């Protein structure tokens, strides 16, 4: 008997030959600085739990109290009978936190991006995306049916030229903090270009929310941009805030449009209410405990200094994401494996997540790391790089 899809096996072989095969590691501990993998404890440098809230005792307790009050499942979509008082309160708190009129919860960031772009655009419209945007933004743009234009990374002038030629409704879409590079989008310039051409600007702040800005308000707080400058603000709850889910914040008109039209909002089960309760607590901690943001800055700066002294190619980043450019995919994997043997978990990021020839080690910091963790990582990195030719 011949199997269907006979080419699948040779596709997998190709992926492996290019050093692009992906596999999972089974984690037996909570998220934190130390992770247990295969009975061994390793120091974690690849989580997006930047503020160290994923296993914070108060957040865990709020989650348990939420489950005691609401049970586990939310029972249905928000528009049927799944929208609990916990969800509603969290939406109000997120609107206040971001300085927007309203916020709307989505079950994941991926779904938020797909739902929002398709709700706002269709055939005859145009979407403009930074070349290095997250996959979910690219997919959202493609799925919307609008004409799809990519502009050069962080290049408002190139965006302007492309906007000049476009017809129909125009939406400019960008990561706030680029997920695999750690640099900031030039949001002030993008906002000016968008306004000049009557376009809306949508920012995905998955990696800035809670982490950037005095109060953790993210990239829009950093640039001081209002709802008028950035009409569509998307944030995730599973990174800096340490829980799960996502939201979109903006005007009454935007949110009501999404409730009517965003298919990934309408046709999916609401997050568990207990996750919303946990997030309400983690949001409070994120706002109040600015030491977590200060600590991240100190750790990142210490790492950048040390990596520079080792002659490593650090990238232009002032966030908690500090990638080391390696280039070759297999070499990035070899170095990542050597680091794991030395007790450090650092992920190798390869194409297609990043452009061809730009494989990298994506080092991320948590407010729970100490300076000695950074120093030990640098020491191990120096040895691993020399050992992997
Ligand atoms: C992680 C991420 C997402 C997806 O969010 P999830 O809640 O994990 O689905 C979207 N955009 C960016 C930039 C991200 O880094």
């Amino acid at each position: 008997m011949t199997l269907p899809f006979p080419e699948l096996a040779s596709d997998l072989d190709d992926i492996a030959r290019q050093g692009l095969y992906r596999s999972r590691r089974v984690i037996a501990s909570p998220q934190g600085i130390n992770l247990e993998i295969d009975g061994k404890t390793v120091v974690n440098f690849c989580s997006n739990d930047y503020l160290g809230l994923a296993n914070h005792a108060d957040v865990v307790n709020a989650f348990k109290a939420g489950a005691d009050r609401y049970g586990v499942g939310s029972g249905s979509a928000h528009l049927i009978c799944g929208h609990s008082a916990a969800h509603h309160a969290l939406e109000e708190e997120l609107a206040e936190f971001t300085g927007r009129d309203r916020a709307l919860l989505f079950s994941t960031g991926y779904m938020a991006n797909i739902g929002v772009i398709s709700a706002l655009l269709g055939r005859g419209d145009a979407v403009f995306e930074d070349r290095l945007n997250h996959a979910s933004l690219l997919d959202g743009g493609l799925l919307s049916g609008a004409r799809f234009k990519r502009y050069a990374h962080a290049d408002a002038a190139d965006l302007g030229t492309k906007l000049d030629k476009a017809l129909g409704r125009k939406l400019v879409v960008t990561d706030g903090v680029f997920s695999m590079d750690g640099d900031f989008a030039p949001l002030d310039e993008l906002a000016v270009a968008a306004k000049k051409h009557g376009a809306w600007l949508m920012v995905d702040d998955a990696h800035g929310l809670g982490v950037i800005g005095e109060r953790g308000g993210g990239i829009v707080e950093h640039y001081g941009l209002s709802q008028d400058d950035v009409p569509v603000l998307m944030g995730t709850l599973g990174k800096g805030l340490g829980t799960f889910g996502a939201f979109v914040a903006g005007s009454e008109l935007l949110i009501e449009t999404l409730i009517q039209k965003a298919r990934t909002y309408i046709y999916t089960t609401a997050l568990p209410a207990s996750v919303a309760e946990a997030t309400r607590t983690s949001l409070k901690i994120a706002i109040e405990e600015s030491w977590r943001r200060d600590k991240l800055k100190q750790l990142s700066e210490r790492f950048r200094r040390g990596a520079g002294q080792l002659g490593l190619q650090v990238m232009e980043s002032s966030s908690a994401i500090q990638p080391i450019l390696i280039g070759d995919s297999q070499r990035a994997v070899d170095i990542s494996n050597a680091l794991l043997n030395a007790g450090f978990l650092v992920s190798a990021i390869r194409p297609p997540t990043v452009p061809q020839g730009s494989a990298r080690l994506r080092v991320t910091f948590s407010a729970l790391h100490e300076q000695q963790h950074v120093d030990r990582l640098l020491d191990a990195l120096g040895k691993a790089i020399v050992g992997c030719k």
Side-chain angles (χ1 to χ4, degrees):
M1 186 188 105
T2 53
L3 294 166
F5 301 111
E7 64 282 6
L8 290 187
S10 64
D11 286 354
L12 287 183
D13 290 343
D14 285 348
I15 292 171
R17 250 196 312 282
Q18 297 169 57
L20 298 180
Y21 208 88
R22 298 166 186 252
S23 44
R24 303 164 307 167
R25 296 193 174 89
V26 180
I27 310 295
S29 58
Q31 285 298 311
I33 294 311
N34 295 305
L35 292 181
E36 193 190 322
I37 303 176
D38 294 335
K40 203 178 130 185
T41 300
V42 299
V43 188
N44 182 8
F45 285 102
C46 54
S47 172
N48 300 318
D49 178 25
Y50 304 116
L51 299 180
L53 298 177
N55 190 37
H56 188 290
D58 293 353
V59 178
V60 174
N61 284 332
F63 181 77
K64 288 179 182 162
D68 284 343
R69 175 161 171 202
Y70 293 99
V72 176
S74 60
S76 79
H78 284 274
L79 284 170
I80 308 299
C81 62
H83 185 65
S84 70
H87 295 115
H88 205 71
L90 175 59
E91 288 182 343
E92 289 175 351
E93 287 156 12
L94 287 168
E96 153 131 38
F97 172 56
T98 54
R100 266 59 186 163
D101 293 349
R102 281 182 70 186
L104 186 73
L105 287 174
F106 280 77
S107 294
T108 71
Y110 210 122
M111 292 167 70
N113 285 338
I114 287 182
V116 170
I117 301 174
S118 297
L120 296 178
L121 302 178
R123 271 174 234 298
D125 300 327
V127 61
F128 301 83
E129 303 225 12
D130 187 291
R131 276 201 174 281
L132 298 188
N133 272 355
H134 189 262
S136 56
L137 293 173
L138 301 174
D139 289 356
L142 291 169
L143 201 68
S144 72
R147 260 164 303 126
F148 187 84
K149 309 272 184 205
R150 290 172 109 170
Y151 59 89
H153 176 53
D155 190 338
D158 186 40
L159 168 66
T161 316
K162 297 199 156 75
L163 278 167
D164 268 338
K165 300 180 200 141
L167 302 169
R169 269 201 277 205
K170 294 169 240 182
L171 183 68
V172 176
V173 177
T174 183
D175 279 29
V177 175
F178 284 86
S179 57
M180 297 300 138
D181 299 70
D183 58 331
F184 294 179
L187 275 199
D188 44 355
E189 298 169 23
L190 298 177
V192 169
K195 265 196 194 155
K196 184 174 159 214
H197 292 87
W200 263 14
L201 177 58
M202 168 173 177
V203 174
D204 171 342
D205 204 20
H207 297 276
L209 203 84
V211 179
I212 308 293
E214 201 71 30
R215 291 177 65 246
I219 197 78
V220 295
E221 186 192 341
H222 173 81
Y223 283 107
L225 296 176
S226 67
Q227 177 170 298
D228 184 47
D229 304 311
V230 178
V232 187
L233 175 63
M234 177 276 195
T236 60
L237 309 177
K239 289 169 179 156
L241 295 179
T243 61
F244 187 80
F247 70 94
V248 175
S251 66
E252 186 72 28
L253 187 64
L254 171 73
I255 300 306
E256 284 301 318
T257 300
L258 297 179
I259 293 173
Q260 315 310 316
K261 293 176 72 174
R263 293 165 65 85
T264 55
Y265 179 78
I266 299 169
Y267 298 108
T268 199
T269 302
L271 284 176
S274 54
V275 171
E277 286 294 1
T279 309
R280 296 179 67 199
T281 295
S282 71
L283 179 61
K284 273 202 203 88
I285 299 171
I287 295 169
E288 282 164 13
E289 299 191 0
S290 58
W291 67 263
R292 293 175 191 268
R293 285 179 281 282
D294 299 339
K295 181 94 170 288
L296 280 170
K297 267 198 212 106
Q298 289 157 14
L299 295 165
S300 296
E301 279 161 18
R302 188 178 184 90
F303 177 76
R304 290 178 69 80
R305 272 196 307 277
Q309 282 161 7
L310 286 171
L312 304 178
Q313 203 175 341
V314 289
M315 297 175 68
E316 205 44 63
S317 162
S318 35
S319 68
I321 304 167
Q322 292 292 335
I324 302 281
L325 193 63
I326 301 296
D328 179 65
S329 293
Q330 190 56 54
R331 180 152 190 260
V333 172
D334 292 345
I335 297 170
S336 171
N337 286 336
L339 286 171
L340 186 61
N341 284 333
F344 301 92
L345 188 61
V346 175
S347 51
I349 307 287
R350 296 159 284 170
T353 308
V354 292
Q356 283 297 332
S358 74
R360 66 200 64 176
L361 300 166
R362 181 175 181 270
V363 176
T364 56
F365 294 104
S366 155
L368 301 182
H369 281 123
E370 297 302 340
Q371 293 191 351
Q372 54 103 356
H373 292 117
V374 175
D375 297 346
R376 282 164 55 204
L377 173 66
L378 284 165
D379 187 47
L381 252 175
K383 290 182 182 136
I385 295 237
V386 171
C388 298
K389 280 297 165 206

